[in-house]
Amino acid sequence: MKSSPGARSWIAAGVRHELLTRALPALRHDMSAPVSVMRMGLLMLKRQVAAPTIDAEACQERVALIDSQIAELVAAVRSLRDWELATGDDGISRPALVRQCTSLMRTAFDLQNIRLDVDEALVADGDGDPRWPSGAALRYLLLGAMGFLQDSVPNVATIRIAPDGGYGIQLSAVAGVTDEADAMAAHRAPRKLAIDVIALQSLADDLGYALSADRGSVRFDLAAA
């Protein structure tokens, strides 16, 4: 039985939800870190106010610290809007897209001994790097490609991210040296919500981008199909 357009959209929505769930620990950290600093700042401010003599300069420094952390927290909360496909944005450059996605997933990948190897051309924005519209869609697409290689390549040790032409991104997976323990891990039962090639292609189709994938590599264009 062929799936209806509505069913395919639900599949893509499920993939986006899974990707957001995987990125959530990094997003949560970005929001909780300023709160921890503010709590410490308030504690120090209370002690200074309760002291026999009040150091006005020190109090001002604590207030300035708390104010800066509030600004960071507000920015982190507002950044959640960036995940909404219906929200308009100013676009994103290819290097900025790679930086955002690798920063979101680097800790999770490190815990699985997966190294992210980013080509130098994608490390910093250059004068000629264009901005591409639909930053939220591109973020989901790159995270989906990373998750696909993470889930589908046995014993993956490195995921390389490199530019492909003037407006494409190429990802490739490199397997590590396999010992007995690694071999057991590589043949473990797949996760229930593993991102396979069907899930990844459904995501790309729903977002409107051309994508090609096999078990060891993914390529997509930042220009909508």
Side-chain angles (χ1 to χ4, degrees):
M1 179 183 297
K2 293 184 178 180
S3 60
S4 66
R8 290 194 292 270
S9 295
W10 274 109
I11 293 173
V15 177
R16 293 198 304 273
H17 180 271
E18 172 63 15
L19 293 172
L20 179 57
T21 300
R22 296 187 188 192
L24 192 58
L27 297 173
R28 185 167 58 238
H29 177 269
D30 290 342
M31 287 184 281
S32 61
V35 175
S36 298
V37 177
M38 283 190 290
R39 291 181 64 184
M40 181 61 67
L42 283 171
L43 178 62
M44 297 300 296
L45 185 60
K46 288 179 180 178
R47 290 179 179 177
Q48 290 165 349
V49 172
T53 58
I54 297 178
D55 186 340
E57 183 177 354
C59 290
Q60 289 177 354
E61 290 178 357
R62 298 299 175 188
V63 171
L65 173 65
I66 295 170
D67 185 63
S68 67
Q69 294 303 305
I70 290 176
E72 288 192 18
L73 179 59
V74 170
V77 173
R78 287 178 176 172
S79 71
L80 294 177
R81 296 180 302 179
D82 296 339
W83 294 84
E84 300 176 13
L85 294 177
T87 301
D89 55 55
D90 297 329
I92 190 169
S93 69
R94 184 167 57 177
L97 173 66
V98 173
R99 286 197 304 271
Q100 286 186 13
C101 292
T102 53
S103 65
L104 285 170
M105 300 308 300
R106 191 176 297 278
T107 299
F109 278 35
D110 285 344
L111 292 174
Q112 296 188 30
N113 294 319
I114 300 175
R115 187 172 70 93
L116 292 173
D117 181 13
V118 180
D119 189 279
E120 290 185 1
L122 297 176
V123 172
D125 288 86
D127 294 336
D129 287 317
R131 296 184 68 86
W132 301 92
S134 305
L138 290 171
R139 185 182 300 106
Y140 278 120
L141 196 58
L142 181 52
L143 288 175
M146 295 167 64
F148 165 72
L149 294 176
Q150 176 190 15
D151 293 348
S152 64
V153 177
N155 199 39
V156 58
T158 302
I159 294 178
R160 294 173 177 165
I161 306 175
D164 187 80
Y167 53 93
I169 293 179
Q170 173 84 34
L171 298 91
S172 57
V174 179
V177 177
T178 304
D179 57 21
E180 184 176 353
D182 289 335
M184 292 179 63
H187 291 87
R188 65 185 182 276
R191 287 190 293 182
K192 184 177 181 181
L193 294 178
I195 299 173
D196 57 18
V197 67
I198 296 176
L200 180 61
Q201 191 63 61
S202 297
L203 175 66
D205 292 344
D206 187 69
L207 296 175
Y209 290 88
L211 178 144
S212 60
D214 56 34
R215 287 183 62 83
S217 66
V218 180
R219 183 199 176 280
F220 65 90
D221 293 335
L222 277 68

